[in-house]
Amino acid sequence: MARANRHFIPGHAWHITHRCHKREFLLKFTQDRRCWLRWLFEARKRYNLSILNYCVTSNHIHLLVVDSGSNIIPQSMQLIAGRTAQEYNRRKKRLGAFWEDRYHATAVQKNHHLVRCMIYIDLNMVRAGVVDHPSQWLHCGYNEIINPPQRYHLIDRNTLMQILNIPSETALINTYKDWIDASLIATGRESCWSRTVAVGSAEYVSQIKKELGIKAQGRSVRKNNQMHELREPLHTYNP
């Protein structure tokens, strides 16, 4: 399998997926999911990583971030993935790869497409049939958005409210709760969030292709329902 996309352009929001090696359930225990979140918090502190949403499942993670500076996302992912793997292998006395070769990154237009991506992330374990509502899964961003902690927060609420054009904490809580509840009926998997280079309007994905330059060769802009996608060549990534 060829290596997954992870090109970044400053200022854009990126949905990142990273899967455990051979899709093994290496994150099935609470302590290992907490370990990943602990290192995510460290990346936020160390590199000022701007986090909009996240979800840790039993065999992969979702992370929605804004690229706010040179090399912040690659440094953060190296720290989080590396330290999580080290702690797991040390505790289990295990050798070998913990993660798939590379994580995948998709640029998401910062409008209703980003809202749709956030909802998709939080409904991950609902789609899997593990819980009936994202509030029941402790290792996703929903509970932090609805009940913001006083300390040790991960989500960059100010940036999130600015992007969503939501004026207050109360409005963010009520609006996001309504979005999630309205989306519980349709929870089908949408491959665009983990198999494409960019998702948004035709103008947005065309601009991403232009900014990527030679790195976007072989990739095509296609319409998928109400969205446009800058797609990977079919052989490059199979989540």
Side-chain angles (χ1 to χ4, degrees):
M1 181 179 68
R3 308 183 93 185
N5 167 65
R6 59 175 186 182
H7 303 304
F8 296 108
I9 305 170
H12 291 281
W14 297 87
H15 173 236
I16 296 170
T17 51
H18 204 186
R19 297 180 181 275
C20 295
H21 185 61
K22 295 182 179 179
R23 305 190 190 187
E24 294 180 75
F25 292 90
L26 303 180
L27 294 166
K28 65 181 178 180
F29 294 116
T30 298
Q31 66 186 102
D32 297 309
R33 294 193 291 271
R34 286 177 177 170
C35 176
W36 188 89
L37 290 171
R38 187 171 70 251
W39 285 108
L40 178 63
F41 178 76
E42 181 62 27
R44 186 189 69 77
K45 287 197 307 177
R46 190 177 300 188
Y47 304 119
N48 198 28
L49 181 66
S50 181
I51 303 163
L52 303 181
N53 207 1
Y54 59 87
C55 182
V56 194
T57 78
S58 296
N59 66 355
H60 68 281
I61 64 91
H62 293 262
L63 180 62
L64 185 62
V65 296
V66 174
D67 190 355
S68 56
S70 177
N71 215 33
I72 287 177
I73 296 176
Q75 285 181 324
S76 297
M77 293 303 296
Q78 183 178 15
L79 174 71
I80 299 163
R83 294 299 179 86
T84 300
Q86 288 172 9
E87 291 193 21
Y88 181 90
N89 285 348
R90 187 182 303 118
R91 181 170 61 84
K92 293 285 190 177
K93 296 180 173 58
R94 174 183 179 272
L95 298 175
F98 184 93
W99 301 100
E100 278 192 353
D101 186 35
R102 299 179 81 170
Y103 54 87
H104 184 91
T106 298
V108 181
Q109 189 171 5
K110 291 187 286 188
N111 54 11
H112 62 278
H113 294 93
L114 186 133
V115 172
R116 187 166 170 177
C117 184
M118 289 183 64
I119 293 169
Y120 183 80
I121 291 171
D122 276 327
L123 292 183
N124 199 282
M125 301 309 286
V126 177
R127 288 192 302 276
V130 177
V131 296
D132 296 322
H133 192 277
S135 61
Q136 298 166 346
W137 187 255
L138 300 180
H139 307 114
C140 69
Y142 177 84
N143 286 310
E144 182 174 338
I145 293 173
I146 300 304
N147 298 299
Q150 296 298 314
R151 302 174 61 192
Y152 307 119
H153 65 278
L154 289 167
I155 292 176
D156 184 350
R157 300 179 74 84
N158 290 332
T159 297
L160 183 59
M161 288 190 292
Q162 182 180 7
I163 290 172
L164 299 180
N165 196 27
I166 292 178
S168 68
E169 290 273 359
T170 301
L172 175 63
I173 292 168
N174 293 333
T175 300
Y176 195 65
K177 189 182 296 183
D178 289 343
W179 284 341
I180 288 290
D181 291 345
S183 302
L184 285 172
I185 298 173
T187 57
R189 186 176 181 277
E190 297 175 319
S191 63
C192 62
W193 306 116
S194 56
R195 297 187 66 177
T196 60
V197 180
V199 175
S201 66
E203 294 76 14
Y204 176 78
V205 296
S206 295
Q207 182 61 32
I208 292 291
K209 183 176 182 179
K210 181 179 179 181
E211 291 185 37
L212 286 173
I214 194 171
K215 297 174 182 177
Q217 285 186 350
R219 295 166 172 84
S220 59
V221 177
R222 299 182 184 179
K223 186 175 182 180
N224 181 5
N225 295 323
Q226 302 302 312
M227 301 186 294
H228 285 78
E229 307 168 352
L230 180 59
R231 297 189 66 87
E232 293 274 23
L234 292 178
H235 63 276
T236 57
Y237 189 62
N238 183 24

